Amino acid sequence: SYVTLVIKNKAQIEKEFPSVKIIPLDKNYGFAYATNIGMKEALSKGSNYIALLNNDTKVDKEWLIELVKVTESDPSGKIGICASKMVFMSDPKILNSTGHVFRFGEIIDRGYSKIDKEQYDNKLDVIGACAGACLYRKEMLEQLCLFDESFVNYYEDSDLSWRAFKSGWKAKYAPKSVVYHVHCGTTHKDKETIEIMDKQRLINSVKITKKHASIFQKLLLSIWWLQLFIRYGIKRIFNKKIGIGIPYLERLIRLWLK
């Protein structure tokens, strides 16, 4: 059995359902804080697992069952995170995430923007999961103290994935747990909000690297960011597009000089 909790950041949810427990917040505190409120409530009620699901998603009927099934497939009880197959609602043939993996010293959503050819359906070992649709084991959350709320929005799930990995917890991918995601569907699209969110994403991408990465991983990531800056810088020259590639240079500066 399960209980559904909705954490209500200001102005995000208008319609309440009788079967759902609403935990209202007086303002929008960001994803990490609001989600922690819900996870603390679930843990206080003795939940063995906590499933997270964004409010800009739709799920297949077996979504939750498949997450639990894969998580319980290891008798050692060391699977702490289970990732859904997230696809874009606008085009379900395109992947959003099949779990977190390492790439050049950073954590990314595996398969992002690629066509789903079931190429990951037999590759179940991952580092963690996108918090838009995933399952966490109670014991892991109790050990690792939930999300780091200083991230506010973005990379809080990657940070938890990295901490779980470093602490010896396993993470698995459940390919039959399918979720359709709008992606940033509840983020306001006005210019000011987009600029604020982009800045926060940039800052947090560096923050998580500083917090967890080894020197070797930082060097790998620096090379990756540098070649992206050069590549997009060349495109900017020929296409006369201002600003393309600059965020990668700012990441490098923040990583090594700030």
Side-chain angles (χ1 to χ4, degrees):
S1 64
Y2 62 89
V3 174
T4 302
L5 301 177
V6 174
I7 314 305
K8 185 177 180 181
N9 271 326
K10 184 177 180 182
Q12 284 192 333
I13 300 174
E14 299 300 329
K15 186 175 181 180
E16 299 182 6
F17 299 90
S19 61
V20 175
K21 180 175 180 180
I22 305 291
I23 302 178
L25 301 179
D26 60 340
K27 65 178 183 179
N28 193 331
Y29 290 96
F31 183 85
Y33 176 89
T35 306
N36 277 354
I37 292 291
M39 290 196 288
K40 288 174 185 176
E41 173 71 14
L43 290 171
S44 73
K45 302 300 182 183
S47 301
N48 293 320
Y49 300 108
I50 295 177
L52 301 186
L53 185 66
N54 276 8
N55 61 349
D56 57 352
T57 58
K58 291 183 179 180
V59 302
D60 275 359
K61 185 178 180 180
E62 303 296 310
W63 163 72
L64 187 56
I65 293 173
E66 288 297 327
L67 284 175
V68 174
K69 185 188 299 184
V70 171
T71 304
E72 292 185 342
S73 64
D74 185 346
S76 72
K78 289 299 290 181
I79 297 177
I81 304 175
C82 192
S84 295
K85 174 185 281 191
M86 298 181 72
V87 298
F88 288 106
M89 197 178 297
S90 60
D91 187 353
K93 299 189 298 296
I94 306 299
L95 293 169
N96 185 174
S97 179
T98 63
H100 284 159
V101 294
F102 285 122
R103 182 195 65 184
F104 301 119
E106 66 178 339
I107 284 182
I108 63 165
D109 286 307
R110 185 179 65 175
Y112 182 83
S113 79
K114 293 183 179 179
I115 296 174
D116 181 16
K117 299 179 180 179
E118 301 182 353
Q119 64 268 48
Y120 302 110
D121 286 10
N122 293 318
K123 299 177 181 179
L124 305 185
D125 291 321
V126 290
I127 298 300
C130 170
C134 68
L135 190 75
Y136 292 137
R137 185 182 290 273
K138 172 188 71 174
E139 291 82 2
M140 187 203 74
L141 291 174
E142 290 175 337
Q143 178 187 340
L144 300 179
C145 302
L146 312 182
F147 288 145
D148 181 344
E149 293 174 9
S150 68
F151 282 90
V152 187
N153 296 299
Y154 305 118
Y155 288 91
E156 71 291 311
D157 52 358
S158 299
D159 171 71
L160 182 59
S161 294
W162 211 325
R163 284 188 282 132
F165 175 75
K166 289 165 70 174
S167 298
W169 288 95
K170 298 177 183 178
K172 293 288 183 179
Y173 166 54
K176 295 181 180 179
S177 172
V178 181
V179 175
Y180 306 87
H181 188 207
V182 173
H183 193 68
C184 298
T186 54
T187 301
H188 293 293
K189 300 300 190 295
D190 60 280
K191 183 178 179 181
E192 182 181 359
T193 300
I194 291 172
E195 288 178 352
I196 291 171
M197 291 302 188
D198 284 347
K199 189 71 172 181
Q200 191 167 53
R201 191 182 288 111
L202 184 152
I203 291 171
N204 286 353
S205 70
V206 176
K207 178 178 180 177
I208 190 174
T209 304
K210 284 186 172 183
K211 184 176 179 180
H212 295 296
S214 65
I215 290 295
F216 178 69
Q217 287 174 315
K218 289 176 182 176
L219 289 171
L220 272 180
L221 188 54
S222 295
I223 294 170
W224 175 249
W225 285 345
L226 181 60
Q227 68 88 20
L228 287 174
F229 168 67
I230 294 171
R231 184 199 305 176
Y232 288 119
I234 292 172
K235 286 184 178 180
R236 182 182 64 173
I237 293 171
F238 287 100
N239 297 329
K240 297 181 180 180
K241 291 184 178 181
I242 299 173
I244 296 177
I246 295 300
Y248 298 108
L249 179 60
E250 187 172 348
R251 282 180 169 93
L252 283 168
I253 293 171
R254 285 180 175 273
L255 180 60
W256 296 107
L257 300 180
K258 291 189 177 182

